[in-house]
Every structure is written in structure tokens, then in C-alpha cells.
Amino acid sequence: MRRVRNGRNYMTKSNFTRRGLLKTSAGAGAGLALPTVFTGAVWAEKHTGFTNAPQGDTVTLGFNVPQSGPYADEGADELRAFRLAVEHLNGEGDGGMLNTFSSKALEGNGILGKKVDFVTGDTQTKSDAARASAKSMIEKDGAIMISGGSSSGVAVAVQGLCQEAGVIFMAGLTHSNDTTGKDKKANGFRHFFNAYMSAAALAPVLEKLYGADRNAYHLTADYTWGWTQEESIAAATEALGWNTVEKVRTPLAATDFSSYIAPVLNSGADVLVLNHYGGNMVNSLTNAVQFGLRSKQANGKQFEIVVPLYSELMARGAGQNIAGIPGSQNWDWKLENQMGDRYTGTNAFVQSFGTKYGFPPSQAAHTCYAQTLLYADAVTRAGSFNPCAVVEALEGFEFDGLGNGPTLYRADDHQCFKDVVVVRGKENPENEFDLVEIVEVTPAEQVTYPADHEMFAGGSLGECNPGA
Amino acid sequence: MDAILLQVLNGLDKGSAYALIALGLTLIFGTLGVVNFAHGALFMLGAFCAVTLQKILTLSSVTIDETKTDFLGNPAKVETPYVESWFGPELGATIIDWSVPLAIIFAIPVMIAIGFIMERGLIKHFYKRPHADQILVTFGLAIVLQEIIKYFYGANPIPTPAPEMFRGSFDFGVLLGFDSNAIIYPYWRMVYFVFSLILIGGVFAFLQFTTFGMVVRAGMADRETVGLLGIDIDKRFTLMFGVAAAVAGLAGVMYTPINSPNYHMGMDFLVLSFVVVVVGGMGSLAGAVLAGFLLGILESFASMNEIKAIIPGIDQIIIYVVAIIILLTRPRGLMGRKGVMED
């Protein structure tokens, strides 16, 4: 059948819909307007005909996270969140965000009554290794959904694989515009925010903090995420009236950034933007502070450093060097306490995670937990594990209670739209988990962009692939 | 001109690390004839000596503060380092602040012991085996050591700051008559450079001016004859392995404030250090030091925007390009001797 939704021709591949709609002919018109109401019954018709259709009383999810390599700690945190999500889905533990989630489809009896089981893979934060581990989980272990990851390079690679294989990919930590831009795929969904959103949220705060007359020098990690981050921040700050002095690409494998940082002070710049993540961020920021940049004056102004994407785990590695440095986050464990009930779900998640593991969760853990619940909920609402049913249930889905406030999974690009947290390194942290303070939360409307925005142009979702 | 001076300075500290690691590699190769791919891991272990000492010095007693709450809303735990309880808050804080320099004292015996155990426990069994076997076993050992550190300390970098008085940077530009901020250089990097010069000088003096060093040098030149003279050269070479491990370890200790240490930092330096050894000339101590500084400075130059504008990506390949040129024009490296690794 052919339908038009959100101005886009949408063609479902299977014939399940036709039969289902005939059976529910009385409500067919309403069904088109409210697809998730009826698709449950429609898709529930058949539990075969797609990749790894669960046959027994369990369903297997595949969690693909870095278990070795420099991002292993972030991967470990993601895995903790996945374990917790599986526990909650299976009705164990305190239920966490199941209790606050606006959708009440999940009942703690697994997914569609099947107990949730999981396998894990090691991405090593390398695209080829990540694809190999995802492939193995799909082909050998029968995983019906793949989630996790800590890099956009990996996310784009695994998303492509999942599209070909006919399973759903619920992206973990990936911040490049390309994941839901030129590399978007129908079977892939991203809950995490992106570089454009970081820039849109940060720019007004930067103007408030540092004024509209600034000269920025960019140091950028030389890969997909770095490029889109640089493009987004430069565009947003130039719109404020800032001038971009120089954009310098640094090798991803670089460990010492002194030769890139030393010329910054004499370049006419008075702000250094570090488009770096993880180990790169720790080292470049540490080097910049060593060179005394933050205590210098340039163009008659205090020299400033900006780290657009914060990672709490990596911030620990930079220690005191992050004090006072602004950046953005997808979520923060203090959100509900400091910014109010709009962010309900945050405390429930922090409580379950903290009680089980002894420390607060990272934003990587949060997004992975949320993605698992969102997938399980979509399957339940659709009444089927068929990837095309899940895609239909997630597209245009509006929800709340998962810690970020009201959120939309936009149908056009499978990107979540929600508030963005602007943070700053804390001057006097009380403990190793209390590294950043929330400066402001930018409402979703201010970080929303049209689906055909030029920074996201070039790709198309294509059609959902049920595989098999 | 100021940009050139700036990159020379930048190259010095990077070169210091390359030189120190390459010096240790050459010492081991020259004495024991072993190609030690675990040498980067020794650099990393040295850095983790600093991390360990910092952790020891910050071991704390825990008290419950009912007035504060933790992230779960329970009464907060307040940690007071024992050092501060024993020596008073001020002296205690100063001792913790100086943990990296203090780690030198801690690292020397630890690294010599690690070197000794490595040599006696594993590497001595591979003396008569081909170099390929030695590379495989030492590379495997490096991975094992790396994973052990990751198990205990995690994969994240761990901040180990320099003492308060060495944070910040010095403005060489003003001193040399350029604009202020034209040539800035962090204090700790200067400390690192001076430290490496002292360490390199110390190793050379030890080999040059002590009887022990003289015997070792004689052993490096002609092991059999020294043996025939009734000297147990193996024992001395084992000790030299310990010395080389300590040199790499100290290079690691002092490097920690420059970049927060992580478990794979040794691998980042290993390949480059081997290039340094080959460029300097296999078995030549002076060559290793010279090539270390030379390649460090060239690497810095290659990251200049002006150079990258002419040859994009040169910063990533410069060292290998230079290595190829030197090996084509001087196959034994800058100061290589005839006969080393040529049989």
C-alpha cells in the first residue's frame, strides 16, 4: 500500500498491512491518521518473514559497545545501562524509567511476553570491528535489534549493516550530523542529540558569556563527527557575529596537541573551540591549559576555551582543566533536581542505576537505556518484532518521562528532538561525579531544524528492510 | 621566525620522550641483543607508578557528614586523605601536590625490579631465538601489561597534574624581543626537557666513567672476550635491562602532567621510538638521542598550518618520510655501526 505521511511518500514493503487493514476496515481511515493505534493489530498477524523473528519464549537483543580500546569505560557504562534496561523490561528491579515513561505499553513481562535476553559485542571503536561484532550477533546469536556504541564512525557503519541485514539499529552515543543526515537509514534511530543541536544550544550561551565580538580558532578531530561539529559551531557562532580565524584538522591518533595549540595565541583568536572527543579532548584541553591559554588576554579580552560536546567520563580524565569551560550534553544526572519536573524520569533512572552500581550514570548510559525502552515499547505498541512495524511505531512517536522532557522521534530522519543541556566545568567539584554544572537547558524548539537543512542533506532514509 | 622558534621548543619535549625511550631500547639491544617491543609498556608502567603514588597519597579516611547528601540522597561521605590527617592540611596538601616528582623515588626501585623480573622471567629464554620471536614475545608481553593496567585502572585517562608552581607557561617571546604571547612554553615541559637531559647525561656518565659501565661497554663490543676474562657479563647485562626499564619508567613518570596517562600510552610511543632507533642507528646510544630530538622537532614543524597548507597530511607521515630518506642515504642510520643486525 502507498501512503503519504509528513509530506513524504511512504511505501511499506510487506503485504501484512493490506490484510490487516481489510480486517479492520471500519477503522481504516482513522488508522491512517493514527498509525500506531492500528498497526499493533495489523503487524501482529505474522511473526515470521523477517530477520531473526523470535520463535521461542525469549527475544535476543545485541548490545554492541566498546569493550576494549580507549572508550572501554564508556562502553562499560553503556553495558551497565543495557543490563538495567533488560532487568526492568523483564520485571526485575525497581522498574526505573518504566514507571515514568509516558507510554504505558510495557508491563515488565519482557517484550510481547517474551523474556528479554541479550548478547554483547565489542566495537573496539573501529568501524570494521564493530560491523563484524554486529554481524556475528545478528547471524550467530539471532539478535533482532542492535544498540550501543561510542563513535559516529562506528554508528554510521553499523547502521548501514543493520539496514542491509533487516534488523533495527538503536544508536548509542553518536553526535555527528551525518548519522541522521546524509547517512540516515530507515532501520536506524538516534535518541542522542547531534552537532547542529549542540551549536544551536551553545551559541546563545556563548554570546551571553563572551559577547558577540569574538574570534574563534577551531581544532578539529579529522573524521565525520569532527567535521560536522566544526561546521555546526562555526555556522552558529558566525551567525552571532563571531569571526572564524582558522580551522585546523588534527589526526585522530594524535596524543600531544602542543604543536597545534602553541600558535593559537598569536593567531588573532580569542576563543579556542576544541572539536575533540574522548582521549583527544582530554589531551588537547590539558595541553591548552598547560600553555596558559585560559590566563591570557587576546584582543583585549580574556582568552576562552569551548568544548562543544562534553563527556562526563572523559571530563574526569581532564581533571581540574575543565573548570569553567562551557559545552553541551544530551542529558545530565542532576537534571530533574536542578531544572524541575519537566525532566521526570531522570531521578528514577539515577536511583536504579546508582543503587545497583554505586555511582551516577553517564549520558552514554542514559541514551542506551532510553533506546532499549523505546525499542521495546515500539515493538509492544506495534504488536510485532517486524522491523517495519517497529519503524512505523517509532516514526513520529511523541513521548515523555525518559529524563529529557517531551521528545519527538521525527519520522523524516529518525532523529529525536528534545531539550539540550548546556553545562560548564565546575570550579570546585565536591566529588569525581560532580564535574559539571548545568548552565541552562535550551528548549527543543530552539534546536529543531527543518528535515531538509543543508547540513543534513545528501542522503535518504530509503525503505525499511525486514530482511529474511 | 617566532613561529619557527616556537616549533623548535615544542619539538624538544616530544623529542625528549622519544630520546629517553629510544635510549632504553638501544641499551637493551646493544647489551642483550633483544629487540624489546615491550619497551613502550615500560614507559606506560612508569607513568602508572606516578598514578599509583598519587592514589597512595590520597588514600583517605571516610566520615559521614549528615549535613550533606550524596547523589542518591543518602548522607554524604567525606574523604580526608591520611596524609593530611598526619601532617596537617597544608603540608599534606603540598605532599599530594608534589606526587609526580615524588614518584621518581618510588618508580626507580619499582622499575628496576620490573625490568629484572621481565628479563630473568621471560626475555632470557629468547636470547638465542631469532629477532622475529623476540618481537612476538615482547609485543605479546606489552599487550598483557597493558591489559593488566586497564583491569586495575580502567581505560580512561587519569589526571596527574604537575605541582602548582609548575603550572602555566613562560613567555619566551617577551624575553627574545618578540610580541608577548608569540612564543609561550609551559613550565612543566621545560622541566621535562631539563630532566631528560640530566637523565641522558647520567646514563652516558654511568657507562663512560664507572668501572661497571666500562665492563658493559666492553661486553657490548665483544661479549665473548669479556666472558673469557672471567667477568659474568650476563649478570651485568641483566642489571642494564633494569637500568633501561628505569629510564623508560622515569620518562613515563615525568610525562604524566603533559598528557593524562592511560593504559595504551606506551603503544603510542613504541612504533615512533623504533623509528627513532633505526634512524639513529641500531645500537648507537648517541644516535638514539640525536634522532629522538631531530624527529621530535621535525614532527612539530610538520604540524604548522603553513606547512600543512603546502603538503596536506604531512604531520601524520613526516617521521616515516624522514626515516625512508635517511635509510636510503645512510642505510645504517645516522650513527649506526657496521655489523649491528647485519649478520
Side-chain angles (χ1 to χ4, degrees):
Chain A
M1 65 169 290
R2 193 175 183 83
R3 288 182 289 132
V4 178
R5 184 155 15 110
N6 296 324
R8 175 167 73 84
N9 276 335
Y10 182 86
M11 175 86 91
T12 55
K13 276 189 78 168
S14 68
N15 56 3
F16 311 139
T17 312
R18 178 190 301 273
R19 192 145 49 105
L21 279 180
L22 285 173
K23 281 184 178 175
T24 54
S25 54
L32 289 172
L34 296 164
T36 52
V37 174
F38 285 94
T39 46
V42 172
W43 289 106
E45 289 291 305
K46 211 166 180 180
H47 278 298
T48 55
F50 53 93
T51 301
N52 294 335
Q55 300 299 325
D57 52 5
T58 61
V59 56
T60 305
L61 308 182
F63 300 137
N64 206 20
V65 304
Q67 297 183 47
S68 58
Y71 291 87
D73 284 4
E74 197 152 75
D77 219 39
E78 289 187 357
L79 219 42
R80 287 183 197 109
F82 282 131
R83 287 206 173 93
L84 198 63
V86 168
E87 263 180 30
H88 292 167
L89 288 173
N90 286 333
E92 296 156 15
D94 62 6
M97 286 204 281
L98 279 189
N99 303 318
T100 56
F101 191 15
S102 57
S103 170
K104 298 298 173 197
L106 294 168
E107 292 170 348
N109 60 347
I111 307 177
L112 290 182
K114 292 183 191 292
K115 189 168 187 267
V116 182
D117 209 351
F118 69 92
V119 287
T120 71
D122 181 8
T123 67
Q124 301 173 33
T125 317
K126 291 176 186 161
S127 300
D128 51 349
R131 277 177 72 98
S133 55
K135 198 164 186 283
S136 163
M137 287 192 287
I138 296 166
E139 290 177 359
K140 286 191 189 153
D141 304 313
I144 193 163
M145 176 274 262
I146 299 293
S147 185
S150 200
S151 143
S152 290
V154 162
V156 166
V158 176
Q159 183 164 266
L161 177 97
C162 290
Q163 178 71 33
E164 290 158 22
V167 299
I168 291 289
F169 176 61
M170 300 297 280
L173 194 152
T174 159
H175 188 248
S176 169
N177 291 343
D178 293 348
T179 312
T180 46
K182 77 174 175 59
D183 295 312
K184 58 181 171 279
K185 294 281 182 279
N187 285 33
F189 288 85
R190 170 162 65 178
H191 172 265
F192 207 69
F193 71 151
N194 59 37
Y196 176 92
M197 294 172 171
S198 278
L202 261 179
V205 176
L206 293 180
E207 187 179 19
K208 246 182 264 172
L209 291 172
Y210 308 136
D213 178 26
R214 283 282 185 166
N215 297 289
Y217 191 107
H218 288 251
L219 285 184
T220 303
D222 202 2
Y223 75 111
T224 170
W225 171 73
W227 304 328
T228 65
Q229 172 81 76
E230 179 192 271
E231 183 188 22
S232 303
I233 296 284
T237 52
E238 282 167 13
L240 295 177
W242 286 26
N243 171 39
T244 304
V245 176
E246 190 101 53
K247 294 172 178 172
V248 176
R249 301 278 162 89
T250 59
L252 192 55
T255 51
D256 185 44
F257 291 85
S258 57
S259 44
Y260 299 100
I261 282 165
V264 173
L265 261 187
N266 208 25
S267 65
D270 43 44
V271 175
L272 172 64
V273 181
L274 294 174
N275 298 308
H276 286 149
Y277 186 70
N280 274 183
M281 187 273 267
V282 172
N283 288 341
S284 64
L285 180 58
T286 304
N287 291 170
V289 174
Q290 263 167 26
F291 271 78
L293 259 53
R294 298 209 62 216
S295 57
K296 298 281 181 191
Q297 296 274 317
N299 305 328
K301 302 183 191 85
Q302 182 67 35
F303 197 97
E304 302 291 352
I305 302 173
V306 179
V307 175
L309 176 61
Y310 252 92
S311 149
E312 316 92 316
L313 285 168
M314 295 299 173
R316 271 183 232 164
Q320 296 167 335
N321 297 326
I322 64 156
I325 290 177
S328 65
Q329 285 187 185
N330 187 57
W331 174 83
D332 186 273
W333 63 270
K334 303 181 285 296
L335 209 46
E336 191 172 350
N337 286 343
Q338 293 185 14
M339 307 309 284
D341 292 346
R342 180 176 169 86
Y343 304 102
T344 184
T346 294
N347 284 353
F349 178 52
V350 173
Q351 191 68 34
S352 330
F353 191 98
T355 307
K356 189 171 168 71
Y357 301 114
F359 45 85
S362 63
Q363 60 176 344
H366 171 258
T367 202
C368 288
Y369 179 92
Q371 285 282 70
T372 312
L373 256 52
L374 283 164
Y375 171 79
D377 174 73
V379 171
T380 310
R381 284 185 293 112
S384 169
F385 287 97
N386 188 318
C388 291
V390 178
V391 169
E392 221 174 271
L394 279 173
E395 283 186 337
F397 179 49
E398 290 180 41
F399 60 94
D400 200 352
L402 291 188
N404 294 100
T407 306
L408 163 72
Y409 240 131
R410 188 159 74 179
D412 308 70
D413 50 11
H414 296 183
Q415 169 69 53
C416 266
F417 287 84
K418 52 192 160 30
D419 299 355
V420 171
V421 190
V422 178
V423 296
R424 223 176 153 165
K426 213 166 180 179
E427 295 288 349
N428 294 306
E430 285 176 17
N431 57 60
E432 60 175 320
F433 309 113
D434 182 35
L435 295 169
V436 298
E437 56 188 4
I438 299 169
V439 177
E440 166 172 324
V441 181
T442 310
E445 304 81 69
Q446 284 182 35
V447 299
T448 302
Y449 50 87
D452 57 356
H453 190 282
E454 58 177 8
M455 285 187 202
F456 297 82
S460 96
L461 280 176
E463 290 178 8
C464 79
N465 177 18
Chain B
M1 185 61 194
D2 50 346
I4 293 172
L5 274 175
L6 184 63
Q7 295 304 347
V8 170
L9 278 175
N10 268 328
L12 286 182
D13 55 81
K14 218 179 283 182
S16 303
Y18 294 158
L20 284 174
I21 300 175
L23 180 68
L25 269 174
T26 308
L27 268 180
I28 292 173
F29 182 74
T31 51
L32 302 166
V34 172
V35 181
N36 182 23
F37 261 64
H39 207 67
L42 292 171
F43 175 75
M44 180 270 293
L45 287 177
F48 276 88
C49 281
V51 173
T52 307
L53 186 70
Q54 182 180 264
K55 281 198 186 295
I56 293 171
L57 291 177
T58 49
L59 277 177
S60 302
S61 59
V62 177
T63 49
I64 303 289
D65 184 350
E66 298 286 350
T67 60
K68 289 180 182 168
T69 52
D70 69 2
F71 73 100
L72 289 174
N74 303 321
K77 290 173 183 165
V78 178
E79 297 189 348
T80 314
Y82 289 114
V83 178
E84 288 187 13
S85 316
W86 295 336
F87 301 104
E90 251 181 55
L91 182 60
T94 310
I95 293 173
I96 293 169
D97 188 40
W98 278 76
S99 68
V100 170
L102 287 173
I104 293 174
I105 304 164
F106 175 68
I108 292 173
V110 172
M111 292 309 298
I112 290 179
I114 289 173
F116 191 81
I117 295 166
M118 248 171 87
E119 199 272 343
R120 287 291 93 184
L122 183 70
I123 292 177
K124 75 164 186 181
H125 303 293
F126 286 82
Y127 286 156
K128 296 197 169 73
R129 303 278 282 271
H131 285 308
D133 289 10
Q134 296 172 355
I135 290 171
L136 279 176
V137 75
T138 51
F139 194 70
L141 179 63
I143 292 170
V144 170
L145 290 172
Q146 217 173 260
E147 291 303 311
I148 290 172
I149 290 294
K150 194 176 111 184
Y151 179 79
F152 286 106
Y153 294 90
N156 262 351
I158 302 167
T160 35
E164 183 80 43
M165 65 179 290
F166 292 113
R167 293 177 207 164
S169 57
F170 182 73
D171 199 332
F172 273 105
V174 175
L175 196 72
L176 299 172
F178 297 105
D179 295 341
S180 67
N181 292 346
I183 309 176
I184 48 165
Y185 197 63
Y187 291 120
W188 187 259
R189 287 175 188 252
M190 281 191 260
V191 171
Y192 193 76
F193 175 60
V194 173
F195 175 80
S196 71
L197 288 187
I198 293 171
L199 200 54
I200 291 165
V203 170
F204 275 95
F206 176 67
L207 289 174
Q208 207 66 36
F209 304 121
T210 64
T211 315
F212 186 96
M214 190 181 70
V215 173
V216 169
R217 279 189 295 123
M220 284 168 82
D222 190 343
R223 188 188 182 117
E224 275 186 8
T225 310
V226 174
L228 287 172
L229 290 171
I231 296 169
D232 186 355
I233 194 71
D234 287 351
K235 209 176 183 180
R236 286 164 203 249
F237 279 179
T238 301
L239 199 67
M240 281 317 287
F241 194 100
V243 170
V247 169
L250 292 182
V253 167
M254 295 295 277
Y255 195 75
T256 53
I258 293 179
N259 276 327
S260 303
N262 55 46
Y263 74 98
H264 57 92
M265 66 188 291
M267 284 294 176
D268 299 336
F269 278 91
L270 179 74
V271 176
L272 285 173
S273 300
F274 263 95
V275 176
V276 168
V277 169
V278 173
V279 168
M282 292 296 287
S284 165
L285 295 173
V289 174
L290 178 71
F293 283 110
L294 179 74
L295 293 182
I297 292 168
L298 281 174
E299 201 184 11
S300 276
F301 274 118
S303 4
M304 285 170 73
N305 295 338
E306 293 80 358
I307 308 271
K308 278 169 67 184
I310 303 167
I311 317 170
I314 186 69
D315 49 337
Q316 297 185 57
I317 55 165
I318 179 74
I319 286 195
Y320 306 101
V321 171
V322 172
I324 291 168
I325 294 168
I326 289 185
L327 290 180
L328 281 175
T329 50
R330 291 182 66 89
R332 292 195 183 103
L334 290 175
M335 300 176 77
R337 286 177 291 120
K338 194 180 174 184
V340 178
M341 262 197 125
E342 289 177 1
D343 46 4

